[in-house]
Amino acid sequence: MGIFTRFSDIVNSNINSILDKAEDPEKIVRLMIQEMEDTLVEVRSAAARSIADKKDLNRKIEALERDLADWDNKAELALRKGREDLAKAALVEKSRVTSAVDVLKQDYLAVDEGLAKLNEDIARLEGKLEDAKARQKSLLARHKTANSRLAARKKIHDYKIDDAMVRFEAYTRRIDDVEGRVEAYDLGLPKDLNHEFASLEAEESVKEELDALKRRVAGSNQAATGTE
């Protein structure tokens, strides 16, 4: 069974509502498009038949209108010739043809009105079809994007990547361990030469200041003793 069962179901449908309720929107929209296209072919065929009917009715009406003119001329001719009986008979035929023309004209109007409605229906159906095709493109694009995201997520959570990250962390810890061992060897070792010389210079400077301080103190003590 198709998505739609009648033409009115299509032109009055709410595509968004149908897709929202569908378990498989892509499948549903494909079915929609197929049924709309099939229905459009049927409606166009009906319109073509109506156009053919209009042309046929128009030809019949034109032929009967020529008969009307002919019977009218015959009635006038008979009356001029003094054949009132023939004139009446011609007018009776004219009346019969007039009635037939009236019927055909009513049929013509009905077909014309039906064709106008078919044209409106075709326009509405084409609009629905374009809407469905646009939805299909959107759904396909979303499906493609979703598949790409899913593939990326699978890669992210792939055990191979997880295993690689574990190995990377283990390798990093090994490097940290080696660096720690190197730094451990440096602990307690003599300071570098520049540092040694700086220490000597600092010690020399302190010694000179200490000697100078001793001399000042000694000098002060001598001065104090001489005064006494």
Side-chain angles (χ1 to χ4, degrees):
M1 184 179 294
I3 301 300
F4 307 107
T5 57
R6 301 183 305 278
F7 174 80
S8 60
D9 290 340
I10 297 177
V11 296
N12 296 322
S13 65
N14 185 322
I15 294 178
N16 283 337
S17 178
I18 294 174
L19 294 181
D20 287 342
K21 298 175 182 177
E23 293 183 2
D24 188 350
E26 286 188 60
K27 178 181 178 181
I28 294 301
V29 80
R30 284 197 302 270
L31 292 174
M32 280 183 177
I33 290 172
Q34 183 62 54
E35 189 161 354
M36 287 178 181
E37 288 177 340
D38 292 344
T39 304
L40 187 58
V41 170
E42 294 176 5
V43 175
R44 287 187 182 280
S45 297
R49 289 193 296 272
S50 294
I51 292 172
D53 290 343
K54 276 185 63 177
K55 290 181 178 180
D56 182 58
L57 288 170
N58 192 55
R59 285 193 298 269
K60 289 179 179 179
I61 290 171
E62 289 177 349
L64 289 177
E65 286 179 341
R66 288 193 295 270
D67 286 345
L68 282 177
D70 185 54
W71 284 116
D72 188 65
N73 291 332
K74 287 179 178 179
E76 185 178 345
L77 175 62
L79 194 60
R80 285 200 303 268
K81 297 297 184 179
R83 295 293 306 272
E84 187 173 337
D85 56 332
L86 289 178
K88 288 181 179 181
L91 291 176
V92 169
E93 286 299 316
K94 179 183 177 182
S95 177
R96 180 185 63 79
V97 173
T98 298
S99 297
V101 169
D102 290 339
V103 171
L104 289 179
K105 284 184 176 180
Q106 290 177 3
D107 292 342
Y108 183 92
L109 289 175
V111 172
D112 191 51
E113 290 176 359
L115 182 58
K117 291 180 179 179
L118 282 175
N119 286 334
E120 292 177 1
D121 291 340
I122 288 172
R124 293 172 65 190
L125 180 55
E126 287 178 336
K128 289 288 183 179
L129 182 57
E130 289 301 316
D131 187 18
K133 288 182 176 179
R135 302 287 171 160
Q136 184 183 39
K137 291 179 181 178
S138 175
L139 286 172
L140 289 176
R142 287 172 57 191
H143 186 264
K144 183 178 179 180
T145 300
N147 282 339
S148 298
R149 292 180 61 193
L150 179 59
R153 289 294 178 88
K154 286 182 178 179
K155 287 293 183 182
I156 291 173
H157 296 287
D158 194 322
Y159 73 94
K160 293 181 180 179
I161 293 181
D162 292 340
D163 185 55
M165 292 301 296
V166 169
R167 292 199 303 272
F168 179 78
E169 290 294 333
Y171 183 66
T172 301
R173 286 196 298 271
R174 288 177 58 190
I175 293 175
D176 291 341
D177 182 61
V178 172
E179 290 177 345
R181 290 165 62 188
V182 171
E183 292 175 5
Y185 277 117
D186 289 339
L187 294 176
L189 292 178
K191 299 176 180 178
D192 60 70
L193 191 59
N194 288 331
H195 192 82
E196 290 291 330
F197 275 104
S199 296
L200 289 175
E201 290 174 355
E203 290 177 3
E204 183 67 25
S205 176
V206 171
K207 186 177 181 301
E208 288 178 357
E209 288 186 11
L210 182 59
D211 289 343
L213 180 59
K214 287 180 179 179
R215 286 194 295 270
R216 287 200 302 273
V217 171
S220 296
N221 289 337
Q222 289 177 0
T225 301
T227 303
E228 295 176 353

